[in-house]
PDB file of all heavy atoms in Angstrom:
ATOM      1  N   PHE A 116       5.313   4.250   6.082  1.00  0.00           N
ATOM      2  CA  PHE A 116       4.980   2.827   6.112  1.00  0.00           C
ATOM      3  C   PHE A 116       3.715   2.586   6.940  1.00  0.00           C
ATOM      4  O   PHE A 116       2.766   1.951   6.491  1.00  0.00           O
ATOM      5  CB  PHE A 116       6.183   2.126   6.752  1.00  0.00           C
ATOM      6  CG  PHE A 116       6.146   0.643   6.767  1.00  0.00           C
ATOM      7  CD1 PHE A 116       6.739  -0.066   5.755  1.00  0.00           C
ATOM      8  CD2 PHE A 116       5.554  -0.035   7.810  1.00  0.00           C
ATOM      9  CE1 PHE A 116       6.730  -1.439   5.781  1.00  0.00           C
ATOM     10  CE2 PHE A 116       5.544  -1.413   7.838  1.00  0.00           C
ATOM     11  CZ  PHE A 116       6.135  -2.114   6.810  1.00  0.00           C
ATOM     12  N   LEU A 117       3.691   3.160   8.148  1.00  0.00           N
ATOM     13  CA  LEU A 117       2.538   2.943   9.032  1.00  0.00           C
ATOM     14  C   LEU A 117       1.288   3.612   8.476  1.00  0.00           C
ATOM     15  O   LEU A 117       0.204   3.019   8.498  1.00  0.00           O
ATOM     16  CB  LEU A 117       2.857   3.477  10.425  1.00  0.00           C
ATOM     17  CG  LEU A 117       1.743   3.279  11.434  1.00  0.00           C
ATOM     18  CD1 LEU A 117       1.566   1.802  11.719  1.00  0.00           C
ATOM     19  CD2 LEU A 117       2.017   4.011  12.711  1.00  0.00           C
ATOM     20  N   ALA A 118       1.431   4.838   7.941  1.00  0.00           N
ATOM     21  CA  ALA A 118       0.252   5.547   7.439  1.00  0.00           C
ATOM     22  C   ALA A 118      -0.369   4.803   6.257  1.00  0.00           C
ATOM     23  O   ALA A 118      -1.594   4.662   6.167  1.00  0.00           O
ATOM     24  CB  ALA A 118       0.639   6.965   7.024  1.00  0.00           C
ATOM     25  N   ASN A 119       0.475   4.278   5.362  1.00  0.00           N
ATOM     26  CA  ASN A 119      -0.063   3.510   4.237  1.00  0.00           C
ATOM     27  C   ASN A 119      -0.727   2.229   4.719  1.00  0.00           C
ATOM     28  O   ASN A 119      -1.790   1.855   4.219  1.00  0.00           O
ATOM     29  CB  ASN A 119       1.058   3.162   3.259  1.00  0.00           C
ATOM     30  CG  ASN A 119       1.353   4.282   2.307  1.00  0.00           C
ATOM     31  OD1 ASN A 119       0.771   5.352   2.432  1.00  0.00           O
ATOM     32  ND2 ASN A 119       2.238   4.058   1.386  1.00  0.00           N
ATOM     33  N   SER A 120      -0.105   1.555   5.691  1.00  0.00           N
ATOM     34  CA  SER A 120      -0.715   0.335   6.223  1.00  0.00           C
ATOM     35  C   SER A 120      -2.063   0.636   6.852  1.00  0.00           C
ATOM     36  O   SER A 120      -3.026  -0.101   6.667  1.00  0.00           O
ATOM     37  CB  SER A 120       0.196  -0.304   7.265  1.00  0.00           C
ATOM     38  OG  SER A 120       1.413  -0.641   6.698  1.00  0.00           O
ATOM     39  N   ILE A 121      -2.140   1.754   7.587  1.00  0.00           N
ATOM     40  CA  ILE A 121      -3.395   2.116   8.249  1.00  0.00           C
ATOM     41  C   ILE A 121      -4.486   2.362   7.214  1.00  0.00           C
ATOM     42  O   ILE A 121      -5.610   1.898   7.351  1.00  0.00           O
ATOM     43  CB  ILE A 121      -3.188   3.368   9.127  1.00  0.00           C
ATOM     44  CG1 ILE A 121      -2.487   2.990  10.416  1.00  0.00           C
ATOM     45  CG2 ILE A 121      -4.507   4.038   9.437  1.00  0.00           C
ATOM     46  CD1 ILE A 121      -2.156   4.172  11.272  1.00  0.00           C
ATOM     47  N   THR A 122      -4.134   3.064   6.139  1.00  0.00           N
ATOM     48  CA  THR A 122      -5.151   3.363   5.126  1.00  0.00           C
ATOM     49  C   THR A 122      -5.707   2.092   4.493  1.00  0.00           C
ATOM     50  O   THR A 122      -6.899   2.011   4.197  1.00  0.00           O
ATOM     51  CB  THR A 122      -4.555   4.273   4.050  1.00  0.00           C
ATOM     52  OG1 THR A 122      -4.149   5.475   4.669  1.00  0.00           O
ATOM     53  CG2 THR A 122      -5.572   4.591   2.997  1.00  0.00           C
ATOM     54  N   LEU A 123      -4.861   1.082   4.298  1.00  0.00           N
ATOM     55  CA  LEU A 123      -5.329  -0.109   3.599  1.00  0.00           C
ATOM     56  C   LEU A 123      -5.945  -1.155   4.516  1.00  0.00           C
ATOM     57  O   LEU A 123      -6.318  -2.214   4.055  1.00  0.00           O
ATOM     58  CB  LEU A 123      -4.181  -0.733   2.817  1.00  0.00           C
ATOM     59  CG  LEU A 123      -3.775   0.031   1.570  1.00  0.00           C
ATOM     60  CD1 LEU A 123      -2.539  -0.564   0.965  1.00  0.00           C
ATOM     61  CD2 LEU A 123      -4.888   0.047   0.565  1.00  0.00           C
ATOM     62  N   THR A 124      -6.061  -0.892   5.805  1.00  0.00           N
ATOM     63  CA  THR A 124      -6.544  -1.933   6.727  1.00  0.00           C
ATOM     64  C   THR A 124      -7.770  -1.488   7.511  1.00  0.00           C
ATOM     65  O   THR A 124      -8.178  -0.343   7.396  1.00  0.00           O
ATOM     66  CB  THR A 124      -5.418  -2.357   7.669  1.00  0.00           C
ATOM     67  OG1 THR A 124      -4.886  -1.191   8.238  1.00  0.00           O
ATOM     68  CG2 THR A 124      -4.353  -3.122   6.941  1.00  0.00           C
ATOM     69  N   PRO A 125      -8.368  -2.401   8.320  1.00  0.00           N
ATOM     70  CA  PRO A 125      -9.742  -2.258   8.791  1.00  0.00           C
ATOM     71  C   PRO A 125     -10.201  -0.890   9.266  1.00  0.00           C
ATOM     72  O   PRO A 125      -9.708  -0.374  10.264  1.00  0.00           O
ATOM     73  CB  PRO A 125      -9.810  -3.228   9.957  1.00  0.00           C
ATOM     74  CG  PRO A 125      -8.840  -4.254   9.654  1.00  0.00           C
ATOM     75  CD  PRO A 125      -7.744  -3.580   8.898  1.00  0.00           C
ATOM     76  N   GLY A 126     -11.158  -0.319   8.561  1.00  0.00           N
ATOM     77  CA  GLY A 126     -11.930   0.804   9.069  1.00  0.00           C
ATOM     78  C   GLY A 126     -11.186   2.079   9.376  1.00  0.00           C
ATOM     79  O   GLY A 126     -11.728   2.953  10.034  1.00  0.00           O
ATOM     80  N   THR A 127      -9.934   2.237   8.920  1.00  0.00           N
ATOM     81  CA  THR A 127      -9.181   3.432   9.288  1.00  0.00           C
ATOM     82  C   THR A 127      -8.542   4.056   8.045  1.00  0.00           C
ATOM     83  O   THR A 127      -8.222   3.367   7.103  1.00  0.00           O
ATOM     84  CB  THR A 127      -8.071   3.093  10.298  1.00  0.00           C
ATOM     85  OG1 THR A 127      -7.387   1.934   9.849  1.00  0.00           O
ATOM     86  CG2 THR A 127      -8.639   2.843  11.657  1.00  0.00           C
ATOM     87  N   LEU A 128      -8.354   5.375   8.111  1.00  0.00           N
ATOM     88  CA  LEU A 128      -7.804   6.122   6.963  1.00  0.00           C
ATOM     89  C   LEU A 128      -6.982   7.265   7.540  1.00  0.00           C
ATOM     90  O   LEU A 128      -7.511   8.085   8.278  1.00  0.00           O
ATOM     91  CB  LEU A 128      -8.969   6.666   6.129  1.00  0.00           C
ATOM     92  CG  LEU A 128      -8.683   7.551   4.945  1.00  0.00           C
ATOM     93  CD1 LEU A 128      -8.361   6.724   3.743  1.00  0.00           C
ATOM     94  CD2 LEU A 128      -9.885   8.411   4.645  1.00  0.00           C
ATOM     95  N   SER A 129      -5.686   7.305   7.233  1.00  0.00           N
ATOM     96  CA  SER A 129      -4.880   8.372   7.831  1.00  0.00           C
ATOM     97  C   SER A 129      -5.146   9.685   7.113  1.00  0.00           C
ATOM     98  O   SER A 129      -5.183   9.737   5.883  1.00  0.00           O
ATOM     99  CB  SER A 129      -3.393   8.012   7.804  1.00  0.00           C
ATOM    100  OG  SER A 129      -3.060   7.422   6.582  1.00  0.00           O
ATOM    101  N   VAL A 130      -5.353  10.760   7.886  1.00  0.00           N
ATOM    102  CA  VAL A 130      -5.727  12.049   7.314  1.00  0.00           C
ATOM    103  C   VAL A 130      -4.570  13.036   7.395  1.00  0.00           C
ATOM    104  O   VAL A 130      -4.280  13.722   6.433  1.00  0.00           O
ATOM    105  CB  VAL A 130      -6.965  12.627   8.023  1.00  0.00           C
ATOM    106  CG1 VAL A 130      -7.281  14.005   7.500  1.00  0.00           C
ATOM    107  CG2 VAL A 130      -8.148  11.727   7.824  1.00  0.00           C
ATOM    108  N   ASP A 131      -3.895  13.102   8.548  1.00  0.00           N
ATOM    109  CA  ASP A 131      -2.874  14.123   8.694  1.00  0.00           C
ATOM    110  C   ASP A 131      -1.796  13.648   9.665  1.00  0.00           C
ATOM    111  O   ASP A 131      -2.001  12.692  10.405  1.00  0.00           O
ATOM    112  CB  ASP A 131      -3.491  15.430   9.195  1.00  0.00           C
ATOM    113  CG  ASP A 131      -2.712  16.626   8.692  1.00  0.00           C
ATOM    114  OD1 ASP A 131      -1.554  16.434   8.298  1.00  0.00           O
ATOM    115  OD2 ASP A 131      -3.253  17.741   8.677  1.00  0.00           O
ATOM    116  N   VAL A 132      -0.656  14.328   9.630  1.00  0.00           N
ATOM    117  CA  VAL A 132       0.452  14.017  10.529  1.00  0.00           C
ATOM    118  C   VAL A 132       1.023  15.336  11.026  1.00  0.00           C
ATOM    119  O   VAL A 132       1.008  16.335  10.313  1.00  0.00           O
ATOM    120  CB  VAL A 132       1.512  13.159   9.792  1.00  0.00           C
ATOM    121  CG1 VAL A 132       2.068  13.889   8.607  1.00  0.00           C
ATOM    122  CG2 VAL A 132       2.620  12.721  10.703  1.00  0.00           C
ATOM    123  N   ASP A 133       1.426  15.378  12.314  1.00  0.00           N
ATOM    124  CA  ASP A 133       1.992  16.637  12.807  1.00  0.00           C
ATOM    125  C   ASP A 133       3.491  16.491  13.063  1.00  0.00           C
ATOM    126  O   ASP A 133       4.091  15.466  12.740  1.00  0.00           O
ATOM    127  CB  ASP A 133       1.229  17.125  14.049  1.00  0.00           C
ATOM    128  CG  ASP A 133       1.406  16.199  15.227  1.00  0.00           C
ATOM    129  OD1 ASP A 133       2.240  15.288  15.141  1.00  0.00           O
ATOM    130  OD2 ASP A 133       0.705  16.391  16.225  1.00  0.00           O
ATOM    131  N   GLU A 134       4.095  17.540  13.649  1.00  0.00           N
ATOM    132  CA  GLU A 134       5.563  17.562  13.749  1.00  0.00           C
ATOM    133  C   GLU A 134       6.100  16.478  14.658  1.00  0.00           C
ATOM    134  O   GLU A 134       7.230  16.036  14.502  1.00  0.00           O
ATOM    135  CB  GLU A 134       6.039  18.929  14.257  1.00  0.00           C
ATOM    136  CG  GLU A 134       6.019  20.017  13.200  1.00  0.00           C
ATOM    137  CD  GLU A 134       4.619  20.551  12.964  1.00  0.00           C
ATOM    138  OE1 GLU A 134       3.782  20.429  13.886  1.00  0.00           O
ATOM    139  OE2 GLU A 134       4.353  21.052  11.859  1.00  0.00           O
ATOM    140  N   GLU A 135       5.316  16.059  15.650  1.00  0.00           N
ATOM    141  CA  GLU A 135       5.814  15.008  16.561  1.00  0.00           C
ATOM    142  C   GLU A 135       5.485  13.611  16.042  1.00  0.00           C
ATOM    143  O   GLU A 135       5.477  12.656  16.823  1.00  0.00           O
ATOM    144  CB  GLU A 135       5.213  15.190  17.956  1.00  0.00           C
ATOM    145  CG  GLU A 135       5.820  16.328  18.741  1.00  0.00           C
ATOM    146  CD  GLU A 135       4.988  17.593  18.583  1.00  0.00           C
ATOM    147  OE1 GLU A 135       3.762  17.493  18.728  1.00  0.00           O
ATOM    148  OE2 GLU A 135       5.565  18.654  18.299  1.00  0.00           O
ATOM    149  N   ASN A 136       5.171  13.493  14.754  1.00  0.00           N
ATOM    150  CA  ASN A 136       4.841  12.207  14.151  1.00  0.00           C
ATOM    151  C   ASN A 136       3.598  11.558  14.753  1.00  0.00           C
ATOM    152  O   ASN A 136       3.484  10.339  14.768  1.00  0.00           O
ATOM    153  CB  ASN A 136       6.013  11.230  14.222  1.00  0.00           C
ATOM    154  CG  ASN A 136       7.108  11.620  13.266  1.00  0.00           C
ATOM    155  OD1 ASN A 136       6.874  12.389  12.353  1.00  0.00           O
ATOM    156  ND2 ASN A 136       8.284  11.086  13.464  1.00  0.00           N
ATOM    157  N   ASN A 137       2.683  12.375  15.293  1.00  0.00           N
ATOM    158  CA  ASN A 137       1.385  11.834  15.682  1.00  0.00           C
ATOM    159  C   ASN A 137       0.503  11.788  14.438  1.00  0.00           C
ATOM    160  O   ASN A 137       0.504  12.719  13.642  1.00  0.00           O
ATOM    161  CB  ASN A 137       0.703  12.722  16.723  1.00  0.00           C
ATOM    162  CG  ASN A 137       1.499  12.780  17.994  1.00  0.00           C
ATOM    163  OD1 ASN A 137       2.068  11.778  18.408  1.00  0.00           O
ATOM    164  ND2 ASN A 137       1.555  13.945  18.599  1.00  0.00           N
ATOM    165  N   LEU A 138      -0.244  10.692  14.302  1.00  0.00           N
ATOM    166  CA  LEU A 138      -1.112  10.567  13.139  1.00  0.00           C
ATOM    167  C   LEU A 138      -2.551  10.886  13.527  1.00  0.00           C
ATOM    168  O   LEU A 138      -2.995  10.541  14.621  1.00  0.00           O
ATOM    169  CB  LEU A 138      -1.052   9.147  12.588  1.00  0.00           C
ATOM    170  CG  LEU A 138       0.188   8.739  11.801  1.00  0.00           C
ATOM    171  CD1 LEU A 138       0.176   7.250  11.605  1.00  0.00           C
ATOM    172  CD2 LEU A 138       0.205   9.427  10.464  1.00  0.00           C
ATOM    173  N   TYR A 139      -3.268  11.556  12.608  1.00  0.00           N
ATOM    174  CA  TYR A 139      -4.707  11.755  12.768  1.00  0.00           C
ATOM    175  C   TYR A 139      -5.411  10.775  11.847  1.00  0.00           C
ATOM    176  O   TYR A 139      -5.177  10.805  10.643  1.00  0.00           O
ATOM    177  CB  TYR A 139      -5.087  13.194  12.460  1.00  0.00           C
ATOM    178  CG  TYR A 139      -4.535  14.148  13.481  1.00  0.00           C
ATOM    179  CD1 TYR A 139      -3.282  14.698  13.327  1.00  0.00           C
ATOM    180  CD2 TYR A 139      -5.250  14.428  14.631  1.00  0.00           C
ATOM    181  CE1 TYR A 139      -2.749  15.527  14.281  1.00  0.00           C
ATOM    182  CE2 TYR A 139      -4.730  15.267  15.592  1.00  0.00           C
ATOM    183  CZ  TYR A 139      -3.483  15.803  15.409  1.00  0.00           C
ATOM    184  OH  TYR A 139      -2.955  16.621  16.366  1.00  0.00           O
ATOM    185  N   VAL A 140      -6.237   9.925  12.431  1.00  0.00           N
ATOM    186  CA  VAL A 140      -6.797   8.811  11.689  1.00  0.00           C
ATOM    187  C   VAL A 140      -8.311   8.918  11.666  1.00  0.00           C
ATOM    188  O   VAL A 140      -8.941   9.127  12.705  1.00  0.00           O
ATOM    189  CB  VAL A 140      -6.386   7.473  12.346  1.00  0.00           C
ATOM    190  CG1 VAL A 140      -7.045   6.316  11.653  1.00  0.00           C
ATOM    191  CG2 VAL A 140      -4.889   7.312  12.312  1.00  0.00           C
ATOM    192  N   HIS A 141      -8.884   8.824  10.451  1.00  0.00           N
ATOM    193  CA  HIS A 141     -10.340   8.766  10.359  1.00  0.00           C
ATOM    194  C   HIS A 141     -10.770   7.332  10.571  1.00  0.00           C
ATOM    195  O   HIS A 141     -10.354   6.438   9.841  1.00  0.00           O
ATOM    196  CB  HIS A 141     -10.803   9.250   8.981  1.00  0.00           C
ATOM    197  CG  HIS A 141     -12.287   9.320   8.859  1.00  0.00           C
ATOM    198  ND1 HIS A 141     -13.023   8.256   8.416  1.00  0.00           N
ATOM    199  CD2 HIS A 141     -13.159  10.295   9.161  1.00  0.00           C
ATOM    200  CE1 HIS A 141     -14.298   8.597   8.443  1.00  0.00           C
ATOM    201  NE2 HIS A 141     -14.407   9.826   8.882  1.00  0.00           N
ATOM    202  N   TRP A 142     -11.609   7.144  11.600  1.00  0.00           N
ATOM    203  CA  TRP A 142     -11.976   5.794  12.019  1.00  0.00           C
ATOM    204  C   TRP A 142     -13.466   5.644  11.738  1.00  0.00           C
ATOM    205  O   TRP A 142     -14.270   6.433  12.218  1.00  0.00           O
ATOM    206  CB  TRP A 142     -11.670   5.651  13.506  1.00  0.00           C
ATOM    207  CG  TRP A 142     -11.606   4.260  14.020  1.00  0.00           C
ATOM    208  CD1 TRP A 142     -11.870   3.124  13.351  1.00  0.00           C
ATOM    209  CD2 TRP A 142     -11.233   3.889  15.343  1.00  0.00           C
ATOM    210  NE1 TRP A 142     -11.672   2.056  14.172  1.00  0.00           N
ATOM    211  CE2 TRP A 142     -11.297   2.486  15.394  1.00  0.00           C
ATOM    212  CE3 TRP A 142     -10.854   4.602  16.501  1.00  0.00           C
ATOM    213  CZ2 TRP A 142     -11.002   1.778  16.546  1.00  0.00           C
ATOM    214  CZ3 TRP A 142     -10.568   3.899  17.635  1.00  0.00           C
ATOM    215  CH2 TRP A 142     -10.636   2.509  17.658  1.00  0.00           C
TER     216      TRP A 142
END
Side-chain angles (χ1 to χ4, degrees):
Chain A
F116 186 93
L117 181 67
N119 277 4
S120 300
I121 283 175
T122 299
L123 287 173
T124 51
T127 46
L128 176 83
S129 41
V130 176
D131 210 341
V132 60
D133 66 9
E134 283 78 24
E135 285 95 47
N136 288 342
N137 297 322
L138 285 168
Y139 293 89
V140 176
H141 185 270
W142 197 355

